[in-house]
Amino acid sequence: MDTFKTIKSISTGTYSEKRSKFLAFAIPARTVDEVKRHVAEYQKKYYDARHVCYAYMLGAERTEFRTNDNGEPSGTAGKPILGQINSNELTDILIIVVRYFGGVKLGTSGLIIAYRLATAEAISAAEIIEKTVDEDITFLFEYPYMNDVMRIVKEENPDIISQTYDNDCSMTLRIRKSAMPKLKQRLEKVTTLHFQ
């Protein structure tokens, strides 16, 4: 599998139950640092809210994830948020749900439903996109091989991330994971490659 689903940009959803308001924000995020920055930003922006709960899923393999109930009973906020991320098979996503308490307790099942529905609203408002899992390759070659290398680049169509031309030339290319073996194989035929 060398594709994954994520969201294009921030989307929002809301849900109200017994005067409690739940504001959900689905945010594209690729690293734990990005997640931390967004969470801190929303905690500051909604400082007057009772709870700022979240869940995130990172990476094409969907193995890096975390939930946070932020003071709600254990498993009533972060888990239902993550459940929605999972059922939509999304990754590289952070969903924050801000709760303004309306004075009436919802009970654990009520909370789970509210966090799940607020999250579902934000996801259904999002534009879901498919991305490819890409790999980078950096190699060195001698200048006389330039034409051969550029022909392969033109035919295989990887993204050129960086390139330097001197007596020894260097290039970094990025291509979809499934296309990498073919690209490597073709480059190896042309020159003595030094993969980095």
Side-chain angles (χ1 to χ4, degrees):
M1 234 337 236
D2 69 345
T3 59
F4 61 91
K5 290 195 299 187
T6 188
I7 57 171
K8 190 172 183 180
S9 53
I10 295 177
S11 62
T12 59
T14 55
Y15 179 76
S16 298
E17 180 68 34
K18 296 180 179 160
R19 298 201 304 275
S20 269
K21 261 187 97 110
F22 296 83
L23 312 176
F25 303 90
I27 305 161
R30 295 183 68 169
T31 64
V32 173
D33 285 344
E34 267 185 75
V35 165
K36 286 178 179 163
R37 217 173 36 247
H38 287 304
V39 168
E41 180 189 320
Y42 279 80
Q43 284 171 334
K44 203 165 137 187
K45 187 174 177 182
Y46 295 96
Y47 66 91
D48 56 338
R50 174 71 69 93
H51 303 281
V52 179
C53 307
Y54 65 89
Y56 66 80
M57 175 72 70
L58 302 176
E61 305 298 318
R62 301 180 77 245
T63 51
E64 193 175 352
F65 58 90
R66 191 163 166 222
T67 64
N68 186 315
D69 294 318
N70 191 237
E72 290 283 31
S74 179
T76 59
K79 267 201 179 133
I81 297 171
L82 186 64
Q84 287 298 305
I85 293 173
N86 280 330
S87 64
N88 286 278
E89 297 175 350
L90 297 170
T91 190
D92 285 359
I93 186 171
L94 160 68
I95 296 183
I96 297 174
V97 181
V98 176
R99 178 187 183 195
Y100 284 97
F101 185 55
V104 181
K105 292 197 165 175
L106 302 180
T108 53
S109 61
L111 285 172
I112 290 168
I113 290 166
Y115 279 101
R116 186 173 64 224
L117 293 176
T119 303
E121 280 287 309
I123 291 173
S124 69
E127 184 182 341
I128 293 175
I129 54 172
E130 193 168 74
K131 286 187 162 183
T132 57
V133 179
D134 298 332
E135 284 184 350
D136 290 3
I137 184 171
T138 301
F139 57 94
L140 307 170
F141 57 96
E142 290 161 18
Y143 194 80
Y145 293 106
M146 175 63 74
N147 286 344
D148 293 331
V149 168
M150 290 316 289
R151 187 178 68 249
I152 292 168
V153 167
K154 188 173 180 228
E155 289 168 7
E156 299 298 325
N157 203 21
D159 293 329
I160 299 173
I161 306 302
S162 68
Q163 50 192 345
T164 55
Y165 305 116
D166 217 358
N167 294 343
D168 276 336
C169 304
S170 139
M171 194 178 273
T172 300
L173 303 175
R174 177 172 294 156
I175 197 165
R176 187 171 171 164
K177 190 177 177 179
S178 59
M180 181 59 86
K182 184 179 175 197
L183 177 65
K184 254 187 193 169
Q185 190 183 13
R186 289 194 67 189
L187 289 169
E188 281 167 349
K189 280 181 186 161
V190 170
T191 176
T192 51
L193 289 182
H194 304 281
F195 293 106
Q196 290 178 327

